[in-house]
Amino acid sequence: MKNIRDMLMDSIKEKLEKLENLEEVEKARISILGKKGFLKEQFKKMKDIPPQERAEFGKALNLVKEEVESILSSKIEEFKALQAKSKALERSVDLTIPGAKRAVGRLHLITQILQECVEVFERMGFEVVEGPEIENTYYNFEALNTPEWHPARDLHDTFYIDENKLLRTHTSPVQIRTMESRKPPLRVISPGRVYRKDYDASHLPAFFQIEGLAIDREISIADLKGTLENVIKSVLGEDKKVRFRPHYFPFTEPSVEVDVSFPQGKSGWLELLGAGMVHPNVLRNVGLNPDEWQGFAFGMGIERLAMLKYGVDDIREFPRNSLNFLKLF
Ligand code: PHE
């Protein structure tokens, strides 16, 4: 026959074995060892037990009490260790998770091509000068020999700020500012934004030009042609065809427009720039003697250059700034 201790243990063993967490351990402690618990009930039974068996029963109860206490405290330790482990796991850093990717930006296509042009010009001995985007009508028109009747002066073509101030319609006023402030010989370029009331597949209301000006004692239209051909072919490729067409600008004489053949299977020409020999009146306006000094000047559209280089057929893509488009370059 089993002894009393074993019998008592058997009745609670199952309960102790099923414990799964600290809460359950605490509940079990109360239900076995608590004031109204299993063991207290057993102790109460002592008075009904014959006196000669009482001592043995009491001893057995105390053994059970000790055993339950030791089982419970080892369970507590076990669950506390488990809890600590899972907390540590929660806090730990998983070095195998791929890092957050940071998108690296890039220069806008127009900035890229502008920089490329500036480098080519610098290699040919040109230096960069700048002028304001809000310009006086004198620098934008009069000094450039552009009379009152010229269509570029029409309010419909131009953004006026007041009667005498406007958003410059070209970079040519920088020619005047440079010749006023420096002595020839000069070889300068001036990249920057210009503004006109235009908007279609090949015109923008705000776009970029590079102005060029070379002033010296002996400069001919051959120098102009050579310079422009060199730049266009350096940026667009040696295979490009360049066409010089007679044209009219008030501030150059003779004047030309320069077209470049469309790339990749498209036929036709795209006008890229205006140019010419600096008009004697312009030289006089800045105090230079046209019998002593001559020069050439040009103004090149940068978006147009980008269109030719990358085969973009709508100029409005550039300021739209869609990342899908810009990421292609
Ligand atoms: N300023 C002219 C334009 O914007 C271009 C040009 C510049 C023509 C210099 C001749 C000389 O159309």
Side-chain angles (χ1 to χ4, degrees):
M1 206 188 103
K2 281 191 177 177
N3 65 32
I4 301 167
R5 172 196 160 273
D6 288 348
M7 274 161 39
L8 288 169
M9 274 315 286
D10 277 352
S11 67
I12 51 177
K13 217 178 203 151
E14 209 183 328
K15 200 176 203 171
L16 290 172
E17 271 166 8
K18 276 191 188 152
L19 294 178
E20 274 180 354
N21 55 44
L22 286 171
E23 256 172 52
E24 287 176 19
V25 172
E26 178 59 11
K27 274 187 195 152
R29 192 187 62 77
I30 292 167
S31 75
I32 300 171
L33 305 174
K35 273 181 197 158
K36 290 174 188 163
F38 170 76
L39 280 176
K40 272 273 144 56
E41 295 299 318
Q42 300 303 317
F43 276 114
K44 274 183 199 160
K45 285 182 191 160
M46 292 263 277
K47 59 181 187 314
D48 306 325
I49 287 173
Q52 64 273 29
E53 288 168 25
R54 224 173 260 168
E56 201 193 335
F57 187 71
K59 223 189 240 166
L61 280 180
N62 278 325
L63 280 175
V64 170
K65 189 179 170 225
E66 270 168 34
E67 201 168 339
V68 169
E69 273 169 352
S70 105
I71 289 174
L72 288 179
S73 71
S74 75
K75 287 274 178 200
I76 287 175
E77 248 164 64
E78 184 187 325
F79 292 136
K80 274 194 174 158
L82 270 178
Q83 223 174 37
K85 209 170 163 186
S86 77
K87 263 199 188 141
L89 263 180
E90 254 171 50
R91 257 184 276 121
S92 72
V93 179
D94 182 353
L95 295 176
T96 65
I97 290 175
K101 250 196 199 161
R102 282 186 196 222
V104 178
R106 71 191 75 207
L107 294 175
H108 191 282
L109 180 55
I110 296 302
T111 311
Q112 288 179 37
I113 213 158
L114 207 65
Q115 287 181 351
E116 199 179 332
C117 290
V118 168
E119 270 168 34
V120 176
F121 279 118
E122 279 177 343
R123 282 204 294 273
M124 290 194 290
F126 286 79
E127 88 184 85
V128 175
V129 293
E130 284 184 321
E133 287 181 24
I134 296 177
E135 194 47 284
N136 300 322
T137 45
Y138 174 74
Y139 287 108
N140 200 80
F141 297 124
E142 272 104 38
L144 288 160
N145 200 36
T146 305
E148 204 56 61
W149 50 261
H150 194 277
R153 300 192 64 150
D154 198 313
L155 278 170
H156 293 289
D157 292 329
T158 307
F159 298 104
Y160 279 86
I161 286 166
D162 61 34
E163 236 172 86
N164 301 312
K165 280 204 180 75
L166 71 161
L167 295 179
R168 64 180 180 188
T169 58
H170 50 181
T171 40
S172 299
V174 188
Q175 287 182 34
I176 305 297
R177 291 179 175 277
T178 307
M179 288 188 284
E180 274 184 357
S181 63
R182 298 165 62 158
K183 287 208 161 73
L186 292 170
R187 272 163 189 65
V188 294
I189 52 164
S190 186
R193 248 197 204 100
V194 301
Y195 302 85
R196 292 179 199 174
K197 280 193 180 174
D198 276 332
Y199 193 56
D200 61 43
S202 52
H203 295 88
L204 289 173
F207 61 101
F208 284 89
Q209 282 189 333
I210 292 185
E211 190 77 10
L213 175 72
I215 302 285
D216 214 324
R217 289 178 200 275
E218 277 181 37
I219 281 193
S220 77
I221 201 162
D223 298 309
L224 170 65
K225 249 190 121 177
T227 303
L228 290 177
E229 269 181 10
N230 184 30
V231 172
I232 292 168
K233 292 194 171 182
S234 299
V235 176
L236 295 182
E238 289 297 325
D239 58 323
K240 289 292 160 307
K241 281 192 221 132
V242 181
R243 178 170 85 171
F244 289 74
R245 253 186 309 112
H247 197 69
Y248 170 78
F249 293 105
F251 36 93
T252 45
E253 180 59 34
S255 302
V256 290
E257 269 190 338
V258 181
D259 304 333
V260 179
S261 58
F262 263 114
Q264 297 118 23
K266 285 180 197 160
S267 61
W269 302 85
L270 188 68
E271 178 205 324
L272 183 62
L273 58 92
M277 302 307 290
V278 179
H279 196 290
N281 286 349
V282 172
L283 293 171
R284 281 187 204 104
N285 286 343
V286 294
L288 293 177
N289 178 357
D291 295 328
E292 201 183 330
W293 300 100
Q294 312 101 51
F296 67 73
F298 57 87
M300 180 161 70
I302 299 307
E303 283 81 356
R304 297 276 181 90
L305 198 65
M307 286 168 85
L308 286 164
K309 180 157 179 155
Y310 297 109
V312 176
D313 45 24
D314 192 334
I315 199 169
R316 291 168 292 199
E317 287 296 350
F318 299 118
R320 196 171 284 150
N321 276 341
S322 139
L323 280 181
N324 286 342
F325 172 73
L326 293 175
K327 272 182 186 164
L328 297 173
F329 308 101

